[in-house]
Amino acid sequence: MTVNRRSWSAPNDRELRLWRVGRALTLAFAAAVLVAGGVLYGLVMLLDFKEIDTTAKLDAKTLFDLVKLSFGVVAGSGALVALVVAYRRQRVDEAGAHREATRLHTERFSQAVDKLGSDSPAVRLGGVHALAGLADDAPDDSLRQTCIDVLCAYLRLPFSPDPGEVPASFPDGTSPSEEQADAHQNKRDQYRALREVRRTILRLIGDHYRIPKGAHRSWQGCNLDLTGVTIDGQMNFRGAAFSSGNVSFNGAAFSSSYVSFEDAKFSGGSVNFRGAAFSSGNVNFNGAAFSSGNVNFNGAAFSSGNVNFNGAAFSGGNVNFNGARFSGGNVDFRSAAFSGGNVNFNGAAFSGSDVHFHSARFSGGYVYFTGTAFSGGNVSFAEAAFSGSNVSFAGERGSASFSGSNVDFSTSTGPAPAGLLWTVGTPAPAEVRLRSDWLPATP
C-alpha cells in the first residue's frame, strides 16, 4: 500500500505569538497603575474626602507609612514582572511540548504506515494497532482524524476475492498438480490473512466509537469514510452516540455481515447507506433513539438481508429509504415509537419482503409511503396505533401500489392513514385487510 507523505502541520497548529518583554511589561504596569488609581479614586469618593489640608505638616508616622507604601509599590512591580516572565515561560514550554509531541507522532505515524504497506499480513496487523494507538494518543483532533482516515482508506483499497477451494479439475478436464494445488492453497491462505486485517480494522472502529465522547480513546464525532467498502465481518456501534461527524457506508457491500447500532443515539451528524447492497447481512437499530441527524438508505438494495428497528424511538431527525429495493429479507419496526421526525419510503420497492410495523405507535412526525410499490411479501400494521402522526400512502410523488402483497391493518387503532383507502380502492382486494369502520358505508 502506498501512502502519500504530506506535511503534518495541523490547521489549528499552536503558533506561538508573544509580545516583546518591554511591551508586555509596559502594558502590564500601565494596567496596574490604572487599576490602583481606580481603587484610590473609589476610596476617596467612598470616604467623601472633599479636600486635602495643604498646611498640615508631615510627621514621622506619615513619613514611615509613605516609605512602606513605596516598598509595597516596588514589591508589587517586581511581582508583576515575575508574573509576566512566568507566563511567557509557560507559553514557550507548552508550545515546545506540543511541537515535540507532534514530531514524535509524525515519526510513529510513518512507521505505522510502513507496516500497513508490508507484504506480511502479521506486520500489517501490527500497523493497524499502531495507527489505532496513534489516534488515541494524538495531540489534537486533526491528527486523530488523519489516522482514522488512513485506516478507512485501507478498507477502501481493492483486494482479490476468495479463490475458493482447490478445484478437483480444470475446465480442460486435467487435475491440478501438487504444485498447482499448493499455490492455490497459498493464495487462499493469503486472502484469509488479509481479510483478518480488514476485520480487525472494522472491530477497532466499532470499539472506539462505543466509548463516550470526550473520554480517552473515544472516536465519537470523527468522520468515517467507508464508501464502497466490502464488509463481510462485524461492526458494533451498540450504544454509540452520533452527535456530530459523518459516517459513510455509501455503496458498501454487506455480505453475510452484521452491523449493530442497537441502543445508539442519533442527535446530530449523519450515517449514510446510499446505494449500499445487503446480501444476507444484518443491520440492527433495535432500541435506537433518533432525535436529530440523518440516517439514509436511499437507493440501497436488500436481498435476503435484515434491517431491524424494533423498539426504536423517532422524535426528530430523518430516516430515509427513498428508492430502496427490498427483494426478500425483513424490515422490522415492531413496537417502534414515531413521535417526531421523518421516515420516508418514497419510491421504495418491496418484492417478496416482510415489512412489520406490528404494535408501532404513530403519535407525531411524518411517515411517507408515497410511490412505494409492494409486490409480494407481507406488510403488517397489526395492533399499530395511529393517534397523531402523519402517515401517508399518497401524495405529490404518487400513491403506493399493492400487487400480490398481503397487507394487514385489521387490528390497528386510530384513524385510517392518509391516502390509504384511495390507494387500495373500493372494494379492497382480498389480500388487503382493513378495519371495517374505515370502509365507506354500503347503501
Side-chain angles (χ1 to χ4, degrees):
M1 185 182 74
T2 302
V3 177
N4 294 327
R5 307 290 182 182
R6 60 174 179 164
S7 174
W8 268 80
S9 58
N12 58 345
D13 206 359
R14 300 179 183 177
E15 188 175 322
L16 188 62
R17 297 178 181 177
L18 296 176
W19 290 343
R20 295 179 181 276
V21 175
R23 183 181 180 187
L25 290 176
T26 300
L27 290 176
F29 186 76
V33 170
L34 289 175
V35 171
V39 171
L40 177 61
Y41 179 77
L43 290 174
V44 169
M45 297 302 296
L46 180 64
L47 297 176
D48 197 22
F49 288 139
K50 299 299 183 183
E51 61 181 12
I52 297 177
D53 188 359
T54 58
T55 63
K57 292 183 179 181
L58 188 65
D59 56 15
K61 183 178 182 302
T62 304
L63 180 60
F64 183 68
D65 290 340
L66 288 175
V67 171
K68 289 195 298 182
L69 179 62
S70 299
F71 278 110
V73 170
V74 172
S77 300
L80 183 62
V81 171
L83 181 62
V84 171
V85 172
Y87 167 74
R88 287 173 58 85
R89 183 180 296 113
Q90 178 68 22
R91 288 291 308 277
V92 171
D93 291 344
E94 288 178 354
H98 183 264
R99 285 195 299 270
E100 180 64 15
T102 303
R103 184 187 66 80
L104 293 175
H105 186 93
T106 302
E107 292 179 358
R108 293 174 59 194
F109 175 82
S110 299
Q111 295 170 3
V113 171
D114 288 341
K115 290 181 179 179
L116 203 59
S118 172
D119 292 334
S120 169
V123 176
R124 291 193 185 189
L125 276 174
V128 167
H129 286 282
L131 274 174
L134 276 174
D136 296 339
D137 300 333
D140 53 54
D141 291 339
S142 63
L143 296 181
R144 175 178 296 107
Q145 183 63 61
T146 301
C147 294
I148 296 173
D149 288 343
V150 172
L151 291 174
C152 291
Y154 182 90
L155 293 174
R156 296 196 302 270
L157 292 175
F159 61 92
S160 301
D162 186 356
E165 299 288 347
V166 178
S169 62
F170 292 124
D172 60 1
T174 61
S175 299
S177 64
E178 184 176 351
E179 291 78 7
Q180 290 174 323
D182 290 342
H184 186 95
Q185 186 61 45
N186 288 337
K187 286 178 60 178
R188 193 173 195 203
D189 291 342
Q190 182 75 358
Y191 164 79
R192 289 176 172 175
L194 295 179
R195 182 182 63 182
E196 184 60 30
V197 176
R198 298 195 310 275
R199 288 182 172 180
T200 298
I201 296 176
L202 294 174
R203 178 178 57 80
L204 288 173
I205 290 175
D207 290 345
H208 284 80
Y209 237 85
R210 294 198 306 276
I211 300 174
K213 188 174 183 180
H216 180 58
R217 297 179 64 247
S218 174
W219 293 359
Q220 286 188 17
C222 294
N223 299 325
L224 298 177
D225 186 2
L226 300 173
T227 302
V229 169
T230 297
I231 298 176
D232 55 0
Q234 179 175 341
M235 287 192 74
N236 189 353
F237 291 97
R238 180 173 184 174
F242 296 85
S243 58
S244 60
N246 298 292
V247 178
S248 173
F249 293 96
N250 294 336
F254 296 83
S255 176
S256 301
S257 61
Y258 179 79
V259 179
S260 176
F261 292 89
E262 187 173 0
D263 297 323
K265 296 177 176 59
F266 297 85
S267 57
S270 63
V271 180
N272 294 303
F273 296 87
R274 290 188 178 92
F278 298 85
S279 55
S280 302
N282 295 277
V283 179
N284 185 359
F285 289 88
N286 292 341
F290 300 84
S291 59
S292 185
N294 299 280
V295 178
N296 295 308
F297 292 89
N298 296 340
F302 299 86
S303 56
S304 302
N306 298 283
V307 180
N308 299 311
F309 289 86
N310 296 334
F314 300 85
S315 59
N318 300 281
V319 180
N320 299 310
F321 293 88
N322 297 331
R325 301 179 304 281
F326 300 85
S327 55
N330 298 276
V331 180
D332 206 333
F333 287 87
R334 297 174 194 265
S335 301
F338 300 85
S339 59
N342 300 280
V343 180
N344 299 302
F345 291 91
N346 297 326
F350 297 86
S351 56
S353 299
D354 292 328
V355 184
H356 298 280
F357 288 89
H358 190 281
S359 299
R361 301 180 303 280
F362 300 88
S363 60
Y366 298 84
V367 182
Y368 296 103
F369 293 94
T370 56
T372 305
F374 298 90
S375 57
N378 301 282
V379 182
S380 174
F381 286 86
E383 299 183 18
F386 301 95
S387 61
S389 66
N390 294 283
V391 182
S392 177
F393 285 83
E396 295 180 355
R397 299 188 181 183
S399 60
S401 61
F402 302 92
S403 58
S405 296
N406 296 307
V407 184
D408 184 14
F409 287 89
S410 61
T411 57
S412 61
T413 61
L420 176 62
L421 299 181
W422 182 84
T423 298
V424 172
T426 305
E431 62 268 18
V432 179
R433 293 187 293 171
L434 303 176
R435 278 175 31 203
S436 59
D437 57 323
W438 286 357
L439 300 175
T442 56

